Amino acid sequence: MLKLFRTDNHKTHEVSKITEGTWIQLQSPTSEEAQRVAEALNLEFNDVMAAIDPDEKTRIEILDDYTLIITDIPVKETRHHEETYKTIPLGIIFNRENVVTICSEDTPLLNYFHESDIIKDFSTKKRLKFIYQIMLRTSMFYQRALTDVDKKRIEFEEHIGTVRNESDLVKIHELESALVYFMTSLRGNNNVINRLARSNLLSHYPEDRELLDDVIIENQQAIEMAQIYREIIDGTRELISSIMNLRMNHVMKSLTSITVIFSIPMIISGMYGMNVDAKWMPLAQAVHGFGIIGLTTVLICVIAFIILKRNKMM
């Protein structure tokens, strides 16, 4: 999909052709759309389509005629019937006149810029500032996604005592996977931001420099949040492992105790089942010998059960 936007008189609106100051938004573009933009702005076709590859790494390339930036943004997806997050590349290309954004999916991150009233002092003509605003919004999206992941972790911990099957473990695994994706992408984005800050080839106005400083701070804060939440998730996983081990130990103790109790009747019945002279067996010739022996066996089992229970073996 190809959309064109331009800011005039502090209002951003959609236009039909590419002119100076136009923002070209490519969302899952076809080869024809990418070729059209590449020819109109004298860009390399492979650079326009680079962000469509989900395995594309974050980077910045400052060329003679334009600059290419590949950064990662968070998006929601469903894995194992659970809503979670992943990161996908977002391509930004800008020259002296235009800004091009390329993404393989529809993302609300860019949709914020369709209305200039939402983003303060936004204009498609202020190219470098526009790019910093995208990166600032990206850092804010990461922080929001990280907060959402932590909320899901808290909800999971509230019912951690009822963890019983594989689906519960999958939930915590998906949260941990999302944090791994975030950590990797945020570090890559941080390298891109630092490269932009150090570049002498890009002209920075004072207000743009302040915005870039905000981007650096917000991205670093997102990295710290991801690190903290990752450590908490690791602690949650260890807690689950400890709970599982305690449950297993309790089951083994119970099974051992039950085995001890049931072995008592087997021992007694085995002794009376031996082929020996009956006169040497207590109560062997008594009128109610069987009943007495049976009640005695039950009494011994009850005593054994009480002793094991008091010693927390049951």
Side-chain angles (χ1 to χ4, degrees):
M1 183 187 301
L2 172 61
K3 290 184 178 181
L4 307 176
F5 297 91
R6 179 184 168 90
T7 303
D8 293 304
N9 299 323
H10 306 288
K11 294 292 183 180
T12 301
H13 57 96
E14 193 168 353
V15 296
S16 58
K17 62 180 181 178
I18 299 175
T19 58
E20 183 178 353
T22 303
W23 165 30
I24 299 99
Q25 182 183 3
L26 290 169
Q27 175 191 317
S28 187
T30 63
S31 298
E32 291 76 12
E33 291 172 336
Q35 188 64 40
R36 174 189 168 188
V37 173
E39 292 177 354
L41 302 182
N42 194 25
L43 310 174
E44 289 290 337
F45 176 78
N46 290 336
D47 288 341
V48 176
M49 295 296 289
I52 304 302
D53 183 2
D55 298 323
E56 189 70 29
K57 303 301 181 184
T58 56
R59 69 179 192 276
I60 176 172
E61 295 182 9
I62 302 176
L63 306 176
D64 294 335
D65 298 327
Y66 61 90
T67 299
L68 167 66
I69 298 174
I70 302 292
T71 184
D72 283 341
I73 61 173
V75 294
K76 290 184 178 181
E77 72 166 355
T78 301
R79 291 197 302 266
H80 303 104
H81 308 289
E82 293 291 333
E83 186 182 81
T84 183
Y85 288 90
K86 67 175 181 178
T87 59
I88 60 173
L90 170 66
I92 304 173
I93 301 176
F94 68 98
N95 55 18
R96 291 183 176 86
E97 298 179 349
N98 303 99
V99 174
V100 184
T101 59
I102 312 100
C103 191
S104 60
E105 298 183 17
D106 182 22
T107 169
L109 188 149
L110 295 177
N111 294 338
Y112 276 99
F113 295 93
H114 292 171
E115 298 290 339
S116 55
D117 295 337
I118 299 179
I119 306 298
K120 183 181 179 181
D121 194 23
F122 167 68
S123 174
T124 58
K125 300 173 183 177
K126 299 177 181 179
R127 297 169 294 108
L128 200 57
K129 186 172 185 178
F130 180 20
I131 292 163
Y132 293 159
Q133 287 172 328
I134 291 176
M135 302 188 79
L136 179 62
R137 183 64 57 174
T138 298
S139 298
M140 295 170 64
F141 262 61
Y142 271 111
Q143 293 178 20
R144 189 180 304 170
L146 285 164
T147 302
D148 188 35
V149 169
D150 192 53
K151 285 181 179 178
K152 292 181 179 180
R153 190 268 309 169
I154 293 173
E155 291 175 0
F156 180 85
E157 288 187 353
E158 289 177 351
H159 304 90
I160 199 169
T162 61
V163 173
R164 298 290 180 187
N165 48 45
E166 296 84 355
S167 62
D168 296 315
L169 299 178
V170 170
K171 289 180 182 179
I172 199 69
H173 173 72
E174 294 299 341
L175 296 179
E176 189 174 24
S177 297
L179 290 176
V180 171
Y181 290 141
F182 287 173
M183 283 291 298
T184 304
S185 297
L186 284 168
R187 286 170 177 166
N189 290 355
N190 192 58
N191 294 334
V192 170
I193 295 169
N194 289 334
R195 175 81 186 281
L196 279 172
R198 295 193 306 266
S199 175
N200 296 322
L201 300 177
L202 302 177
S203 300
H204 294 89
Y205 293 101
E207 58 178 5
D208 293 345
R209 187 70 202 190
E210 292 179 2
L211 184 58
L212 179 58
D213 291 339
D214 291 340
V215 173
I216 294 173
I217 293 172
E218 292 296 329
N219 191 75
Q220 186 61 40
Q221 183 177 349
I223 291 175
E224 292 174 358
M225 288 175 64
Q227 289 175 336
I228 292 172
Y229 293 159
R230 175 72 188 279
E231 292 175 0
I232 294 174
I233 286 287
D234 290 341
T236 302
R237 181 177 287 278
E238 292 178 2
L239 177 60
I240 293 173
S241 178
S242 299
I243 290 174
M244 292 296 186
N245 290 335
L246 286 173
R247 288 177 179 170
M248 181 62 69
N249 291 338
H250 181 72
V251 170
M252 294 303 297
K253 286 195 302 182
S254 298
L255 290 175
T256 302
S257 300
I258 292 171
T259 302
V260 170
I261 293 173
F262 277 96
S263 65
I264 295 173
M266 295 174 62
I267 294 172
I268 295 174
S269 61
M271 292 176 60
Y272 277 90
M274 291 189 295
N275 190 19
V276 297
D277 194 338
K279 69 179 181 178
W280 299 106
M281 300 302 296
L283 304 173
Q285 298 183 10
V287 177
H288 301 291
F290 179 80
I292 296 172
I293 294 171
L295 290 174
T296 303
T297 303
V298 171
L299 181 61
I300 295 173
C301 290
V302 171
I303 293 172
F305 176 81
I306 293 173
I307 293 173
L308 292 172
K309 189 72 173 178
R310 287 182 177 177
N311 288 274
K312 298 181 180 180
M313 295 294 294
M314 294 292 291

